[in-house]
Amino acid sequence: LKEVALALGAFEALKPFLKEPRGTEAAWKELFPTGWRLLLFCEIEAAPGEKFAGSLDGCRLRPLALVALSDDLRPEAAEVLEQFADQGVEFKILSGDNPETVRATVAPLAGASPSPALAALASNPVVTGAELEADQVPHELVTTRSVFGRVSPWQKVQIVRTLTALGRKVAMIGD
């Protein structure tokens, strides 16, 4: 019985470990503009004579499939958010997903509502986790921007702490 180790993750994260990225990258580039969540499913090939030890360091990946998932907002989402916006609630979308995937997911909110708050979610630039980390004054990004993509769990905590330190009341919901 042969032991097989598999990996599933974002193409961008797994690409450095791919044995032959060209074909898979071409498929990823073709699907990327759709805004779908794209996950790469691979077989992990450890060094000869070694078993997979929990880290991809020193391993090569053999792509098996590129999985595309769509994130559909509930039909009532725009209406519910519009009601909150009418009460002065500001929105922040914090996601670990690729920024373009996040953008594509929230874009329908702009067309579904005349609310400036919802239009801002779909039209303002998405802040990446890397931009947030590199910014000398990250609290300005946190207070002036609404959508954050490819942010880590600790960056989500940082955003919430920044907002509460500024006296904002914060509530979170997950998907």
Side-chain angles (χ1 to χ4, degrees):
L1 191 63
K2 178 185 173 190
E3 185 176 302
V4 177
L6 303 170
L8 178 69
F11 174 81
E12 307 96 306
L14 298 180
K15 180 183 174 184
F17 303 99
L18 293 178
K19 282 173 65 171
E20 185 58 43
R22 274 183 257 142
T24 307
E25 186 169 19
W28 177 79
K29 284 182 178 179
E30 183 178 328
L31 291 171
F32 186 71
T34 65
W36 293 338
R37 184 179 298 177
L38 301 174
L39 299 173
L40 186 58
F41 188 56
C42 302
E43 180 179 357
I44 301 170
E45 297 178 352
E50 292 184 22
K51 286 188 171 190
F52 177 64
S55 170
L56 291 178
D57 291 335
C59 295
R60 302 305 296 160
L61 300 179
R62 185 173 65 84
L64 300 174
L66 188 60
V67 180
L69 305 170
S70 67
D71 288 319
D72 294 326
L73 296 174
R74 294 181 182 181
E76 67 275 7
E79 182 181 338
V80 170
L81 293 176
E82 191 173 311
Q83 291 173 4
F84 279 120
D86 289 345
Q87 296 174 40
V89 175
E90 292 180 37
F91 305 108
K92 305 283 184 195
I93 297 184
L94 315 178
S95 176
D97 288 336
N98 183 291
E100 292 308 313
T101 301
V102 179
R103 162 77 54 234
T105 302
V106 299
L109 293 173
S113 169
S115 167
L118 296 187
L121 287 178
S123 63
N124 289 342
V126 178
V127 177
T128 67
E131 290 172 321
L132 190 62
E133 189 171 328
D135 197 297
Q136 297 297 317
V137 199
H139 71 276
E140 286 184 23
L141 280 178
V142 169
T143 57
T144 61
R145 299 287 186 83
S146 302
V147 183
F148 300 80
R150 207 49 101 208
V151 291
S152 67
W154 72 265
Q155 287 175 314
K156 292 176 184 180
V157 170
Q158 176 189 16
I159 291 168
V160 169
R161 286 184 177 160
T162 298
L163 292 169
T164 55
L166 294 170
R168 308 254 181 105
K169 295 194 182 336
V170 177
M172 292 181 63
I173 58 171
D175 56 1

